Amino acid sequence: MKRTLVSLILGGFLTLPGWFPGGALQAEVLSGLDVLARDGFVPLKGKKVGIVTNCTGKDRKGNKIADLVFNAPGVTLAALFAPEHGLTGTENGIVPSGEDPEHRIPIHSLYGATTKPTPEMLKPLDVLLFDLQDVGARYYTYITTMAK
């Protein structure tokens, strides 16, 4: 089975709703998550989805990506992957694995005994979404997490 990695931080789109007075272009920037939600999560229909995320994984209205994917018709949220500082962004040191109490799915730590998803973690998934904000500085681990 072919698996897909979708990076939502790199997947934003630009829409052009109109012009400012004086002829300047008025543009609205949408994140990849906003585009997925706007389009009804069509690329994820019929898929089992895992998400690498933390507290920054939100749409423009402040909705968490896990909630949006979980509630998307025809989409199965199957696992969450927690980077350094965990899903809440408040963990210090090793991030534990566990179960997400809201969605009753596994949370796999990517900052502990393993720093990348294992084949066992990925086996039940069709798609792995990556939705983390990163400042792009070399001392942050999120870009390394995506590379792994």
Side-chain angles (χ1 to χ4, degrees):
M1 178 179 299
K2 184 178 178 184
R3 291 189 177 84
T4 306
L5 170 66
V6 179
S7 173
L8 296 180
I9 59 171
L10 302 176
F13 293 87
L14 184 66
T15 60
L16 305 174
W19 296 88
F20 283 119
L25 180 64
Q26 176 184 356
E28 179 181 36
V29 177
L30 299 174
S31 70
L33 177 56
D34 290 320
V35 171
L36 274 174
R38 179 196 68 197
D39 296 346
F41 294 90
V42 170
L44 303 179
K45 296 268 184 187
K47 308 278 189 210
K48 290 180 240 149
V49 178
I51 308 171
V52 181
T53 192
N54 64 10
C55 58
T56 65
K58 295 183 179 183
D59 70 1
R60 65 186 326 168
K61 297 175 186 171
N63 299 304
K64 295 188 299 185
I65 186 173
D67 295 338
L68 293 170
V69 172
F70 182 80
N71 292 313
V75 180
T76 302
L77 179 60
L80 295 172
F81 294 83
E84 182 179 15
H85 305 299
L87 294 177
T88 63
T90 60
E91 296 281 337
N92 288 311
I94 301 299
V95 174
S97 293
E99 182 180 86
D100 177 36
E102 287 183 65
H103 307 104
R104 298 187 184 266
I105 58 172
I107 299 171
H108 300 295
S109 172
L110 298 180
Y111 198 76
T114 184
T115 57
K116 66 180 183 178
T118 66
E120 295 79 26
M121 293 174 189
L122 296 174
K123 188 174 182 178
L125 305 178
D126 299 311
V127 176
L128 183 61
L129 298 179
F130 189 94
D131 192 7
L132 291 170
Q133 291 184 26
D134 188 282
V135 297
R138 66 177 179 80
Y139 52 84
Y140 283 88
T141 61
Y142 300 147
I143 197 73
T144 303
T145 300
M146 183 169 69
K148 290 181 177 184

